[in-house]
């Protein structure tokens, strides 16, 4: 499955509100780990506003016709 920026924002907001039972998938641990790793843009082991920022920055640069970095962080 693919992740969208709004789904990552929703995940980050719910975690920030103290809700622990948050996931991207229907409970499949392998898929959840893969989704988490894909969304953890800076590779620090947690999803936060910095990861969302990097996603949005990439989209903005790509939309402006630039060649954004695809490496993490």
């Amino acid at each position: 499955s693919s992740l969208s920026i709004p789904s990552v924002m929703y995940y980050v907001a719910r975690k920030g509100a103290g809700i622990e039972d948050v996931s991207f998938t229907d409970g499949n641990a392998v898929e959840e780990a893969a989704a988490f790793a894909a969304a953890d843009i800076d590779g620090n082991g947690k999803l936060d506003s910095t990861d969302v920022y990097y996603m949005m920055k990439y989209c903005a640069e790509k939309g402006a016709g630039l060649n954004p970095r695809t490496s993490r962080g």
Side-chain angles (χ1 to χ4, degrees), residues 42-64:
D42 60 9
N44 69 352
K46 62 182 181 175
L47 295 184
D48 55 25
S49 60
T50 302
D51 298 302
V52 174
Y53 166 77
Y54 284 133
M55 290 177 190
M56 294 176 76
K57 182 175 182 284
Y58 178 89
C59 290
E61 289 176 355
K62 193 74 170 173

Side-chain angles (χ1 to χ4, degrees), residues 19-43:
I19 300 168
E20 292 300 320
D21 187 24
V22 183
S23 66
F24 290 114
T25 65
D26 60 3
N28 180 314
V30 173
E31 289 179 5
E32 185 66 25
F36 187 94
D40 183 18
I41 304 301
D42 60 9

